[in-house]
PDB file of all heavy atoms in Angstrom:
ATOM      1  N   LEU A  23     -76.621  36.116  68.736  1.00  0.00           N
ATOM      2  CA  LEU A  23     -76.983  36.608  67.398  1.00  0.00           C
ATOM      3  C   LEU A  23     -75.907  37.551  66.847  1.00  0.00           C
ATOM      4  O   LEU A  23     -75.624  37.533  65.644  1.00  0.00           O
ATOM      5  CB  LEU A  23     -78.327  37.334  67.447  1.00  0.00           C
ATOM      6  CG  LEU A  23     -79.569  36.445  67.536  1.00  0.00           C
ATOM      7  CD1 LEU A  23     -80.812  37.291  67.768  1.00  0.00           C
ATOM      8  CD2 LEU A  23     -79.742  35.616  66.260  1.00  0.00           C
ATOM      9  N   LYS A  24     -75.324  38.342  67.724  1.00  0.00           N
ATOM     10  CA  LYS A  24     -74.255  39.248  67.299  1.00  0.00           C
ATOM     11  C   LYS A  24     -73.037  38.456  66.827  1.00  0.00           C
ATOM     12  O   LYS A  24     -72.403  38.800  65.820  1.00  0.00           O
ATOM     13  CB  LYS A  24     -73.872  40.178  68.450  1.00  0.00           C
ATOM     14  CG  LYS A  24     -73.048  41.371  68.015  1.00  0.00           C
ATOM     15  CD  LYS A  24     -72.830  42.334  69.174  1.00  0.00           C
ATOM     16  CE  LYS A  24     -72.003  43.525  68.724  1.00  0.00           C
ATOM     17  NZ  LYS A  24     -71.746  44.466  69.842  1.00  0.00           N
ATOM     18  N   MET A  25     -72.714  37.384  67.556  1.00  0.00           N
ATOM     19  CA  MET A  25     -71.605  36.511  67.151  1.00  0.00           C
ATOM     20  C   MET A  25     -71.910  35.849  65.807  1.00  0.00           C
ATOM     21  O   MET A  25     -71.038  35.740  64.941  1.00  0.00           O
ATOM     22  CB  MET A  25     -71.363  35.446  68.225  1.00  0.00           C
ATOM     23  CG  MET A  25     -70.713  35.973  69.491  1.00  0.00           C
ATOM     24  SD  MET A  25     -70.634  34.726  70.805  1.00  0.00           S
ATOM     25  CE  MET A  25     -69.633  33.468  70.027  1.00  0.00           C
ATOM     26  N   LYS A  26     -73.163  35.412  65.639  1.00  0.00           N
ATOM     27  CA  LYS A  26     -73.562  34.794  64.375  1.00  0.00           C
ATOM     28  C   LYS A  26     -73.457  35.788  63.230  1.00  0.00           C
ATOM     29  O   LYS A  26     -72.941  35.469  62.159  1.00  0.00           O
ATOM     30  CB  LYS A  26     -74.991  34.267  64.474  1.00  0.00           C
ATOM     31  CG  LYS A  26     -75.487  33.611  63.187  1.00  0.00           C
ATOM     32  CD  LYS A  26     -76.933  33.154  63.300  1.00  0.00           C
ATOM     33  CE  LYS A  26     -77.401  32.551  61.981  1.00  0.00           C
ATOM     34  NZ  LYS A  26     -78.805  32.107  62.047  1.00  0.00           N
ATOM     35  N   ARG A  27     -73.951  37.009  63.456  1.00  0.00           N
ATOM     36  CA  ARG A  27     -73.887  38.051  62.424  1.00  0.00           C
ATOM     37  C   ARG A  27     -72.446  38.333  62.011  1.00  0.00           C
ATOM     38  O   ARG A  27     -72.122  38.381  60.815  1.00  0.00           O
ATOM     39  CB  ARG A  27     -74.533  39.330  62.942  1.00  0.00           C
ATOM     40  CG  ARG A  27     -74.543  40.491  61.947  1.00  0.00           C
ATOM     41  CD  ARG A  27     -74.753  41.810  62.655  1.00  0.00           C
ATOM     42  NE  ARG A  27     -73.641  42.094  63.572  1.00  0.00           N
ATOM     43  CZ  ARG A  27     -73.639  43.105  64.432  1.00  0.00           C
ATOM     44  NH1 ARG A  27     -74.696  43.892  64.527  1.00  0.00           N
ATOM     45  NH2 ARG A  27     -72.601  43.300  65.228  1.00  0.00           N
ATOM     46  N   ASP A  28     -71.566  38.485  63.005  1.00  0.00           N
ATOM     47  CA  ASP A  28     -70.159  38.770  62.721  1.00  0.00           C
ATOM     48  C   ASP A  28     -69.502  37.602  61.979  1.00  0.00           C
ATOM     49  O   ASP A  28     -68.696  37.805  61.064  1.00  0.00           O
ATOM     50  CB  ASP A  28     -69.403  39.062  64.016  1.00  0.00           C
ATOM     51  CG  ASP A  28     -69.884  40.344  64.686  1.00  0.00           C
ATOM     52  OD1 ASP A  28     -70.555  41.142  64.011  1.00  0.00           O
ATOM     53  OD2 ASP A  28     -69.597  40.532  65.889  1.00  0.00           O
ATOM     54  N   GLY A  29     -69.865  36.373  62.377  1.00  0.00           N
ATOM     55  CA  GLY A  29     -69.317  35.196  61.703  1.00  0.00           C
ATOM     56  C   GLY A  29     -69.779  35.100  60.257  1.00  0.00           C
ATOM     57  O   GLY A  29     -68.991  34.764  59.360  1.00  0.00           O
ATOM     58  N   LEU A  30     -71.046  35.409  60.022  1.00  0.00           N
ATOM     59  CA  LEU A  30     -71.589  35.379  58.659  1.00  0.00           C
ATOM     60  C   LEU A  30     -70.928  36.444  57.783  1.00  0.00           C
ATOM     61  O   LEU A  30     -70.657  36.210  56.603  1.00  0.00           O
ATOM     62  CB  LEU A  30     -73.107  35.598  58.688  1.00  0.00           C
ATOM     63  CG  LEU A  30     -73.950  34.424  59.195  1.00  0.00           C
ATOM     64  CD1 LEU A  30     -75.393  34.872  59.404  1.00  0.00           C
ATOM     65  CD2 LEU A  30     -73.904  33.250  58.221  1.00  0.00           C
ATOM     66  N   ILE A  31     -70.688  37.613  58.366  1.00  0.00           N
ATOM     67  CA  ILE A  31     -70.015  38.688  57.614  1.00  0.00           C
ATOM     68  C   ILE A  31     -68.606  38.256  57.216  1.00  0.00           C
ATOM     69  O   ILE A  31     -68.156  38.503  56.087  1.00  0.00           O
ATOM     70  CB  ILE A  31     -69.986  39.989  58.439  1.00  0.00           C
ATOM     71  CG1 ILE A  31     -71.407  40.562  58.555  1.00  0.00           C
ATOM     72  CG2 ILE A  31     -69.057  41.019  57.813  1.00  0.00           C
ATOM     73  CD1 ILE A  31     -71.521  41.740  59.504  1.00  0.00           C
ATOM     74  N   MET A  32     -67.910  37.589  58.141  1.00  0.00           N
ATOM     75  CA  MET A  32     -66.567  37.089  57.824  1.00  0.00           C
ATOM     76  C   MET A  32     -66.612  36.062  56.701  1.00  0.00           C
ATOM     77  O   MET A  32     -65.787  36.080  55.778  1.00  0.00           O
ATOM     78  CB  MET A  32     -65.933  36.482  59.079  1.00  0.00           C
ATOM     79  CG  MET A  32     -65.527  37.485  60.136  1.00  0.00           C
ATOM     80  SD  MET A  32     -64.832  36.704  61.631  1.00  0.00           S
ATOM     81  CE  MET A  32     -63.391  35.902  60.937  1.00  0.00           C
ATOM     82  N   GLU A  33     -67.592  35.151  56.768  1.00  0.00           N
ATOM     83  CA  GLU A  33     -67.751  34.141  55.712  1.00  0.00           C
ATOM     84  C   GLU A  33     -68.061  34.813  54.369  1.00  0.00           C
ATOM     85  O   GLU A  33     -67.545  34.401  53.329  1.00  0.00           O
ATOM     86  CB  GLU A  33     -68.884  33.176  56.073  1.00  0.00           C
ATOM     87  CG  GLU A  33     -68.603  32.255  57.248  1.00  0.00           C
ATOM     88  CD  GLU A  33     -67.645  31.130  56.891  1.00  0.00           C
ATOM     89  OE1 GLU A  33     -67.384  30.927  55.686  1.00  0.00           O
ATOM     90  OE2 GLU A  33     -67.156  30.456  57.816  1.00  0.00           O
ATOM     91  N   PHE A  34     -68.904  35.856  54.411  1.00  0.00           N
ATOM     92  CA  PHE A  34     -69.292  36.559  53.187  1.00  0.00           C
ATOM     93  C   PHE A  34     -68.077  37.198  52.522  1.00  0.00           C
ATOM     94  O   PHE A  34     -67.871  37.060  51.313  1.00  0.00           O
ATOM     95  CB  PHE A  34     -70.341  37.623  53.524  1.00  0.00           C
ATOM     96  CG  PHE A  34     -70.783  38.439  52.334  1.00  0.00           C
ATOM     97  CD1 PHE A  34     -71.774  37.969  51.486  1.00  0.00           C
ATOM     98  CD2 PHE A  34     -70.204  39.672  52.072  1.00  0.00           C
ATOM     99  CE1 PHE A  34     -72.180  38.716  50.393  1.00  0.00           C
ATOM    100  CE2 PHE A  34     -70.595  40.419  50.979  1.00  0.00           C
ATOM    101  CZ  PHE A  34     -71.595  39.942  50.142  1.00  0.00           C
ATOM    102  N   PHE A  35     -67.265  37.920  53.323  1.00  0.00           N
ATOM    103  CA  PHE A  35     -66.113  38.609  52.748  1.00  0.00           C
ATOM    104  C   PHE A  35     -64.985  37.649  52.375  1.00  0.00           C
ATOM    105  O   PHE A  35     -64.134  37.992  51.543  1.00  0.00           O
ATOM    106  CB  PHE A  35     -65.616  39.690  53.707  1.00  0.00           C
ATOM    107  CG  PHE A  35     -66.445  40.939  53.672  1.00  0.00           C
ATOM    108  CD1 PHE A  35     -67.320  41.244  54.704  1.00  0.00           C
ATOM    109  CD2 PHE A  35     -66.380  41.793  52.589  1.00  0.00           C
ATOM    110  CE1 PHE A  35     -68.108  42.386  54.658  1.00  0.00           C
ATOM    111  CE2 PHE A  35     -67.154  42.944  52.531  1.00  0.00           C
ATOM    112  CZ  PHE A  35     -68.021  43.240  53.571  1.00  0.00           C
ATOM    113  N   GLU A  36     -64.988  36.477  52.975  1.00  0.00           N
ATOM    114  CA  GLU A  36     -64.026  35.453  52.561  1.00  0.00           C
ATOM    115  C   GLU A  36     -64.413  34.876  51.194  1.00  0.00           C
ATOM    116  O   GLU A  36     -63.559  34.554  50.372  1.00  0.00           O
ATOM    117  CB  GLU A  36     -63.977  34.330  53.601  1.00  0.00           C
ATOM    118  CG  GLU A  36     -62.923  33.274  53.304  1.00  0.00           C
ATOM    119  CD  GLU A  36     -62.851  32.195  54.370  1.00  0.00           C
ATOM    120  OE1 GLU A  36     -63.252  32.451  55.510  1.00  0.00           O
ATOM    121  OE2 GLU A  36     -62.388  31.088  54.041  1.00  0.00           O
ATOM    122  N   LEU A  37     -65.721  34.767  50.961  1.00  0.00           N
ATOM    123  CA  LEU A  37     -66.220  34.219  49.703  1.00  0.00           C
ATOM    124  C   LEU A  37     -66.202  35.244  48.578  1.00  0.00           C
ATOM    125  O   LEU A  37     -66.061  34.875  47.400  1.00  0.00           O
ATOM    126  CB  LEU A  37     -67.651  33.707  49.908  1.00  0.00           C
ATOM    127  CG  LEU A  37     -68.365  33.051  48.720  1.00  0.00           C
ATOM    128  CD1 LEU A  37     -67.642  31.787  48.289  1.00  0.00           C
ATOM    129  CD2 LEU A  37     -69.815  32.744  49.075  1.00  0.00           C
ATOM    130  N   LEU A  38     -66.329  36.532  48.915  1.00  0.00           N
ATOM    131  CA  LEU A  38     -66.472  37.590  47.915  1.00  0.00           C
ATOM    132  C   LEU A  38     -65.369  37.606  46.855  1.00  0.00           C
ATOM    133  O   LEU A  38     -65.683  37.637  45.649  1.00  0.00           O
ATOM    134  CB  LEU A  38     -66.558  38.949  48.622  1.00  0.00           C
ATOM    135  CG  LEU A  38     -66.801  40.166  47.734  1.00  0.00           C
ATOM    136  CD1 LEU A  38     -68.103  40.017  46.958  1.00  0.00           C
ATOM    137  CD2 LEU A  38     -66.811  41.441  48.563  1.00  0.00           C
ATOM    138  N   PRO A  39     -64.085  37.575  47.213  1.00  0.00           N
ATOM    139  CA  PRO A  39     -63.048  37.592  46.162  1.00  0.00           C
ATOM    140  C   PRO A  39     -63.090  36.359  45.265  1.00  0.00           C
ATOM    141  O   PRO A  39     -62.770  36.447  44.067  1.00  0.00           O
ATOM    142  CB  PRO A  39     -61.730  37.657  46.953  1.00  0.00           C
ATOM    143  CG  PRO A  39     -62.071  37.212  48.332  1.00  0.00           C
ATOM    144  CD  PRO A  39     -63.482  37.608  48.560  1.00  0.00           C
ATOM    145  N   LYS A  40     -63.484  35.213  45.831  1.00  0.00           N
ATOM    146  CA  LYS A  40     -63.581  33.996  45.018  1.00  0.00           C
ATOM    147  C   LYS A  40     -64.677  34.136  43.968  1.00  0.00           C
ATOM    148  O   LYS A  40     -64.509  33.747  42.818  1.00  0.00           O
ATOM    149  CB  LYS A  40     -63.868  32.789  45.917  1.00  0.00           C
ATOM    150  CG  LYS A  40     -62.776  32.501  46.931  1.00  0.00           C
ATOM    151  CD  LYS A  40     -63.162  31.345  47.847  1.00  0.00           C
ATOM    152  CE  LYS A  40     -62.110  31.119  48.925  1.00  0.00           C
ATOM    153  NZ  LYS A  40     -62.509  30.035  49.875  1.00  0.00           N
ATOM    154  N   VAL A  41     -65.818  34.703  44.383  1.00  0.00           N
ATOM    155  CA  VAL A  41     -66.935  34.888  43.449  1.00  0.00           C
ATOM    156  C   VAL A  41     -66.575  35.936  42.397  1.00  0.00           C
ATOM    157  O   VAL A  41     -66.929  35.792  41.223  1.00  0.00           O
ATOM    158  CB  VAL A  41     -68.217  35.291  44.213  1.00  0.00           C
ATOM    159  CG1 VAL A  41     -69.339  35.639  43.246  1.00  0.00           C
ATOM    160  CG2 VAL A  41     -68.651  34.152  45.126  1.00  0.00           C
ATOM    161  N   LYS A  42     -65.872  36.993  42.809  1.00  0.00           N
ATOM    162  CA  LYS A  42     -65.428  38.005  41.847  1.00  0.00           C
ATOM    163  C   LYS A  42     -64.511  37.386  40.802  1.00  0.00           C
ATOM    164  O   LYS A  42     -64.595  37.706  39.612  1.00  0.00           O
ATOM    165  CB  LYS A  42     -64.704  39.140  42.575  1.00  0.00           C
ATOM    166  CG  LYS A  42     -65.622  40.114  43.287  1.00  0.00           C
ATOM    167  CD  LYS A  42     -64.822  41.258  43.887  1.00  0.00           C
ATOM    168  CE  LYS A  42     -65.736  42.300  44.519  1.00  0.00           C
ATOM    169  NZ  LYS A  42     -64.950  43.421  45.113  1.00  0.00           N
ATOM    170  N   ASP A  43     -63.634  36.498  41.255  1.00  0.00           N
ATOM    171  CA  ASP A  43     -62.723  35.810  40.336  1.00  0.00           C
ATOM    172  C   ASP A  43     -63.499  34.911  39.368  1.00  0.00           C
ATOM    173  O   ASP A  43     -63.190  34.855  38.182  1.00  0.00           O
ATOM    174  CB  ASP A  43     -61.704  34.973  41.125  1.00  0.00           C
ATOM    175  CG  ASP A  43     -60.684  34.309  40.222  1.00  0.00           C
ATOM    176  OD1 ASP A  43     -60.023  35.021  39.450  1.00  0.00           O
ATOM    177  OD2 ASP A  43     -60.552  33.073  40.292  1.00  0.00           O
ATOM    178  N   LEU A  44     -64.524  34.227  39.894  1.00  0.00           N
ATOM    179  CA  LEU A  44     -65.362  33.386  39.032  1.00  0.00           C
ATOM    180  C   LEU A  44     -66.096  34.224  37.994  1.00  0.00           C
ATOM    181  O   LEU A  44     -66.220  33.818  36.831  1.00  0.00           O
ATOM    182  CB  LEU A  44     -66.376  32.604  39.883  1.00  0.00           C
ATOM    183  CG  LEU A  44     -65.830  31.459  40.735  1.00  0.00           C
ATOM    184  CD1 LEU A  44     -66.919  30.896  41.646  1.00  0.00           C
ATOM    185  CD2 LEU A  44     -65.279  30.349  39.845  1.00  0.00           C
ATOM    186  N   ARG A  45     -66.585  35.395  38.409  1.00  0.00           N
ATOM    187  CA  ARG A  45     -67.265  36.297  37.476  1.00  0.00           C
ATOM    188  C   ARG A  45     -66.321  36.729  36.361  1.00  0.00           C
ATOM    189  O   ARG A  45     -66.700  36.775  35.187  1.00  0.00           O
ATOM    190  CB  ARG A  45     -67.774  37.535  38.215  1.00  0.00           C
ATOM    191  CG  ARG A  45     -68.986  37.309  39.101  1.00  0.00           C
ATOM    192  CD  ARG A  45     -69.351  38.611  39.809  1.00  0.00           C
ATOM    193  NE  ARG A  45     -70.448  38.456  40.742  1.00  0.00           N
ATOM    194  CZ  ARG A  45     -70.838  39.403  41.582  1.00  0.00           C
ATOM    195  NH1 ARG A  45     -70.189  40.568  41.612  1.00  0.00           N
ATOM    196  NH2 ARG A  45     -71.865  39.201  42.392  1.00  0.00           N
ATOM    197  N   SER A  46     -65.076  37.065  36.758  1.00  0.00           N
ATOM    198  CA  SER A  46     -64.080  37.504  35.781  1.00  0.00           C
ATOM    199  C   SER A  46     -63.759  36.381  34.794  1.00  0.00           C
ATOM    200  O   SER A  46     -63.708  36.601  33.573  1.00  0.00           O
ATOM    201  CB  SER A  46     -62.812  37.953  36.510  1.00  0.00           C
ATOM    202  OG  SER A  46     -61.807  38.327  35.604  1.00  0.00           O
ATOM    203  N   GLN A  47     -63.561  35.178  35.337  1.00  0.00           N
ATOM    204  CA  GLN A  47     -63.283  34.027  34.467  1.00  0.00           C
ATOM    205  C   GLN A  47     -64.465  33.733  33.553  1.00  0.00           C
ATOM    206  O   GLN A  47     -64.285  33.407  32.377  1.00  0.00           O
ATOM    207  CB  GLN A  47     -62.978  32.794  35.315  1.00  0.00           C
ATOM    208  CG  GLN A  47     -61.665  32.848  36.074  1.00  0.00           C
ATOM    209  CD  GLN A  47     -61.398  31.562  36.831  1.00  0.00           C
ATOM    210  OE1 GLN A  47     -61.370  30.479  36.235  1.00  0.00           O
ATOM    211  NE2 GLN A  47     -61.216  31.661  38.139  1.00  0.00           N
ATOM    212  N   LEU A  48     -65.665  33.865  34.093  1.00  0.00           N
ATOM    213  CA  LEU A  48     -66.879  33.611  33.308  1.00  0.00           C
ATOM    214  C   LEU A  48     -66.974  34.582  32.143  1.00  0.00           C
ATOM    215  O   LEU A  48     -67.311  34.189  31.018  1.00  0.00           O
ATOM    216  CB  LEU A  48     -68.111  33.727  34.207  1.00  0.00           C
ATOM    217  CG  LEU A  48     -69.476  33.466  33.554  1.00  0.00           C
ATOM    218  CD1 LEU A  48     -69.553  32.048  33.012  1.00  0.00           C
ATOM    219  CD2 LEU A  48     -70.590  33.710  34.566  1.00  0.00           C
ATOM    220  N   SER A  49     -66.680  35.849  32.413  1.00  0.00           N
ATOM    221  CA  SER A  49     -66.728  36.863  31.360  1.00  0.00           C
ATOM    222  C   SER A  49     -65.712  36.569  30.255  1.00  0.00           C
ATOM    223  O   SER A  49     -66.024  36.667  29.058  1.00  0.00           O
ATOM    224  CB  SER A  49     -66.456  38.245  31.968  1.00  0.00           C
ATOM    225  OG  SER A  49     -66.473  39.238  30.974  1.00  0.00           O
ATOM    226  N   GLU A  50     -64.509  36.182  30.673  1.00  0.00           N
ATOM    227  CA  GLU A  50     -63.456  35.867  29.690  1.00  0.00           C
ATOM    228  C   GLU A  50     -63.818  34.632  28.871  1.00  0.00           C
ATOM    229  O   GLU A  50     -63.649  34.618  27.643  1.00  0.00           O
ATOM    230  CB  GLU A  50     -62.131  35.640  30.421  1.00  0.00           C
ATOM    231  CG  GLU A  50     -61.541  36.897  31.041  1.00  0.00           C
ATOM    232  CD  GLU A  50     -60.273  36.604  31.829  1.00  0.00           C
ATOM    233  OE1 GLU A  50     -59.802  35.447  31.788  1.00  0.00           O
ATOM    234  OE2 GLU A  50     -59.762  37.533  32.490  1.00  0.00           O
ATOM    235  N   LEU A  51     -64.323  33.587  29.549  1.00  0.00           N
ATOM    236  CA  LEU A  51     -64.689  32.360  28.843  1.00  0.00           C
ATOM    237  C   LEU A  51     -65.863  32.593  27.888  1.00  0.00           C
ATOM    238  O   LEU A  51     -65.918  32.001  26.804  1.00  0.00           O
ATOM    239  CB  LEU A  51     -65.041  31.258  29.846  1.00  0.00           C
ATOM    240  CG  LEU A  51     -63.875  30.672  30.633  1.00  0.00           C
ATOM    241  CD1 LEU A  51     -64.380  29.722  31.712  1.00  0.00           C
ATOM    242  CD2 LEU A  51     -62.912  29.934  29.698  1.00  0.00           C
ATOM    243  N   TYR A  52     -66.785  33.457  28.297  1.00  0.00           N
ATOM    244  CA  TYR A  52     -67.930  33.774  27.434  1.00  0.00           C
ATOM    245  C   TYR A  52     -67.463  34.481  26.163  1.00  0.00           C
ATOM    246  O   TYR A  52     -67.884  34.130  25.050  1.00  0.00           O
ATOM    247  CB  TYR A  52     -68.927  34.654  28.186  1.00  0.00           C
ATOM    248  CG  TYR A  52     -70.084  35.112  27.333  1.00  0.00           C
ATOM    249  CD1 TYR A  52     -71.142  34.251  27.046  1.00  0.00           C
ATOM    250  CD2 TYR A  52     -70.108  36.406  26.808  1.00  0.00           C
ATOM    251  CE1 TYR A  52     -72.208  34.668  26.250  1.00  0.00           C
ATOM    252  CE2 TYR A  52     -71.170  36.827  26.028  1.00  0.00           C
ATOM    253  CZ  TYR A  52     -72.214  35.964  25.742  1.00  0.00           C
ATOM    254  OH  TYR A  52     -73.254  36.367  24.954  1.00  0.00           O
ATOM    255  N   SER A  53     -66.594  35.467  26.332  1.00  0.00           N
ATOM    256  CA  SER A  53     -66.067  36.199  25.171  1.00  0.00           C
ATOM    257  C   SER A  53     -65.312  35.269  24.245  1.00  0.00           C
ATOM    258  O   SER A  53     -65.467  35.317  23.011  1.00  0.00           O
ATOM    259  CB  SER A  53     -65.150  37.338  25.630  1.00  0.00           C
ATOM    260  OG  SER A  53     -65.864  38.270  26.417  1.00  0.00           O
ATOM    261  N   ASP A  54     -64.486  34.384  24.831  1.00  0.00           N
ATOM    262  CA  ASP A  54     -63.700  33.435  24.035  1.00  0.00           C
ATOM    263  C   ASP A  54     -64.604  32.449  23.295  1.00  0.00           C
ATOM    264  O   ASP A  54     -64.389  32.163  22.113  1.00  0.00           O
ATOM    265  CB  ASP A  54     -62.736  32.667  24.946  1.00  0.00           C
ATOM    266  CG  ASP A  54     -61.845  31.717  24.181  1.00  0.00           C
ATOM    267  OD1 ASP A  54     -61.097  32.170  23.296  1.00  0.00           O
ATOM    268  OD2 ASP A  54     -61.913  30.500  24.447  1.00  0.00           O
ATOM    269  N   ALA A  55     -65.628  31.944  23.978  1.00  0.00           N
ATOM    270  CA  ALA A  55     -66.545  30.981  23.369  1.00  0.00           C
ATOM    271  C   ALA A  55     -67.330  31.613  22.220  1.00  0.00           C
ATOM    272  O   ALA A  55     -67.493  31.004  21.150  1.00  0.00           O
ATOM    273  CB  ALA A  55     -67.505  30.424  24.423  1.00  0.00           C
TER     274      ALA A  55
END
């Protein structure tokens, strides 16, 4: 379970910058639209 938890945390932080970038793009596209 500890290995699973650590693996999930790594997956989460790997995904986090991608989602932040999507949020930023979404905000820009919304303003433009």
Side-chain angles (χ1 to χ4, degrees):
L23 284 172
K24 195 174 180 181
M25 287 173 61
K26 180 183 178 181
R27 181 199 63 188
D28 294 344
L30 287 170
I31 290 172
M32 289 178 62
E33 291 285 348
F34 178 84
F35 281 106
E36 184 178 336
L37 182 63
L38 184 59
K40 298 177 184 177
V41 174
K42 283 184 176 180
D43 184 56
L44 288 173
R45 286 178 184 172
S46 177
Q47 291 183 57
L48 181 61
S49 179
E50 291 176 6
L51 289 173
Y52 176 78
S53 298
D54 183 59

